[in-house]
Amino acid sequence: MCPTQTLGEVRRRRTYLKAGMLLLAFLACYSCKEKPKNTADVYTYIKPQYTLVRLTETKDSLSFKLDDSTYNIIRSFNTFVQDGNEYISFYDQRSQSISIYDFKSSVIKKRLSLKSCLGVPSFYKTTVYSRSFDSIFVTNRTMLYLLDSAGIIKKRIEFIKEQRAWAVFENITPPIFKDNLLYVGVRPYVNETSFKALKKWKVLYAFDIANDKKKLYYHLPELYQTEIYGERFLDYSYCYNHHGNFVVSFWADTSIHESNLSDCHHAYYGKSKYQNDDIRPASKEQILNDEGSRLYYTADSYGPIYFDPASRR
């Protein structure tokens, strides 16, 4: 038989119970927010192999003659195939122009001035990717543009302002077209001494061009969320493998990360024999005293990662 309780005692017990439930709910939500969403589920050791790749110098050389209005400050270039012909596209920063050449004959086929196309006052950090003559993607600090060969803007999508995430077309972070989405790398532009900012930062954009939507994916690895390495070590590279997954290399991380950006997150580690010392984190004071560059150049950092479709590795 339960002991007799007064109405006040019952009310107090209910109040304590509700408070406890609210506290547990808050802690659960807090822990979910704090935990990185793409922390690797499995870490696998792979012994590095050093004889599978060789660079061989050849006698072949390519030359593309610039016109009188184009300089040689090339910030973006890529090749594409259209109607069975191969082309190469260059973006010249100084003239703010795109030049597209026939790859075999080196004859220029199209020149496009971004000054007249976009009508923006600044081309700071502009990058370009030409998918075809009528699908030319351009990014600057604020927006992604889609142009045709006449310079007409077919689409424009503004970047997410909260993170100050700038999409960037580079050969080490190539654009990936998958499921009607365009995936693009994000330029590292985050408070390098703030763990709160580092935990929130994501490195990959997904653009839904048809529906004018965008979304950010993929957090920094766990080591970047617990230690400070500085701006230069925040750089990264990725490729896209035959499994349909992104494979990412971060400059301070000995692991290679593979993810489908949903429910598959794996890391493969194997320290290179050419890495003499561990890549040590920096202190906040060192970064604030502008020692980040020195620490980067005197350390053994990792670099770009590429996928060979012929050998599937």
Side-chain angles (χ1 to χ4, degrees):
M1 185 175 180
C2 297
T4 303
Q5 295 180 338
T6 65
L7 181 60
E9 289 174 336
V10 171
R11 287 177 175 173
R12 281 194 297 273
R13 290 191 61 181
R14 288 179 178 175
T15 300
Y16 295 152
L17 180 60
K18 288 180 180 179
M21 292 175 66
L22 287 172
L23 178 62
L24 289 173
F26 171 79
L27 291 174
C29 292
Y30 181 80
S31 62
C32 289
K33 290 180 180 179
E34 288 296 301
K35 184 179 180 180
K37 294 181 180 180
N38 54 261
T39 299
D41 298 317
V42 178
Y43 279 82
T44 305
Y45 174 74
I46 296 181
K47 184 178 180 180
Q49 300 182 58
Y50 304 95
T51 59
L52 297 180
V53 178
R54 289 185 299 173
L55 297 178
T56 304
E57 184 180 0
T58 69
K59 297 180 180 179
D60 296 336
S61 63
L62 299 172
S63 60
F64 301 93
K65 186 177 180 179
L66 304 178
D67 61 25
D68 294 337
S69 302
T70 306
Y71 302 88
N72 62 348
I73 306 178
I74 306 302
R75 287 292 177 258
S76 302
F77 73 91
N78 72 277
T79 61
F80 65 90
V81 177
Q82 185 169 333
D83 298 328
N85 296 319
E86 189 173 7
Y87 301 92
I88 186 167
S89 168
F90 297 99
Y91 167 65
D92 174 51
Q93 182 187 45
R94 185 172 175 183
S95 63
Q96 286 105 43
S97 65
I98 302 169
S99 299
I100 300 178
Y101 295 80
D102 183 284
F103 190 81
K104 291 184 178 180
S105 67
S106 301
V107 174
I108 188 167
K109 295 296 183 179
K110 184 69 182 179
R111 186 179 185 276
L112 200 61
S113 172
L114 293 184
K115 288 181 180 179
S116 56
C117 297
L118 302 184
V120 296
S122 173
F123 285 86
Y124 180 68
K125 300 296 186 183
T126 295
T127 61
V128 173
Y129 178 79
S130 299
R131 192 181 190 190
S132 68
F133 281 100
D134 285 316
S135 293
I136 300 172
F137 295 90
V138 180
T139 68
N140 57 18
R141 290 185 297 174
T142 60
M143 203 164 303
L144 168 72
Y145 298 89
L146 174 59
L147 311 177
D148 63 13
S149 59
I152 305 291
I153 299 176
K154 299 163 67 176
K155 285 281 187 178
R156 67 178 86 201
I157 302 178
E158 191 173 8
F159 295 155
I160 297 173
K161 294 181 179 179
E162 291 76 10
Q163 181 171 307
R164 299 189 72 180
W166 304 351
V168 56
F169 293 116
E170 292 186 345
N171 292 335
I172 62 172
T173 54
I176 303 295
F177 296 88
K178 177 184 178 183
D179 300 331
N180 297 318
L181 297 176
L182 165 61
Y183 291 91
V184 189
V186 177
R187 188 182 302 278
Y189 195 76
V190 59
N191 186 342
E192 56 198 310
T193 61
S194 168
F195 288 121
K196 181 179 180 181
L198 291 169
K199 286 180 179 179
K200 290 182 178 180
W201 187 257
K202 296 179 182 179
V203 302
L204 200 62
Y205 252 123
F207 291 99
D208 183 344
I209 305 296
N211 297 301
D212 297 323
K213 295 181 179 180
K214 68 269 186 177
K215 186 177 180 180
L216 290 166
Y217 285 93
Y218 211 72
H219 292 271
L220 292 168
E222 194 170 356
L223 72 90
Y224 282 96
Q225 302 181 34
T226 57
E227 300 286 357
I228 295 173
Y229 287 91
E231 179 184 4
R232 293 185 180 275
F233 275 115
L234 288 171
D235 220 339
Y236 63 98
S237 168
Y238 64 77
C239 58
Y240 191 69
N241 68 13
H242 61 294
H243 296 299
N245 295 334
F246 289 85
V247 183
V248 192
S249 169
F250 294 90
W251 283 194
D253 194 349
T254 59
S255 295
I256 295 172
H257 299 263
E258 180 183 12
S259 176
N260 63 0
L261 307 182
S262 177
D263 55 358
C264 171
H265 307 294
H266 295 278
Y268 306 91
Y269 64 96
K271 182 178 176 181
S272 170
K273 68 179 182 180
Y274 299 108
Q275 182 182 344
N276 296 321
D277 298 313
D278 291 335
I279 301 174
R280 303 182 185 279
S283 66
K284 185 174 182 179
E285 289 72 23
Q286 287 176 310
I287 299 300
L288 295 177
N289 290 331
D290 293 329
E291 296 184 45
S293 295
R294 179 185 64 80
L295 295 173
Y296 172 79
Y297 286 117
T298 56
D300 294 314
S301 63
Y302 284 82
I305 189 168
Y306 301 97
F307 177 71
D308 178 11
S311 59
R312 293 192 171 186
R313 63 172 183 249

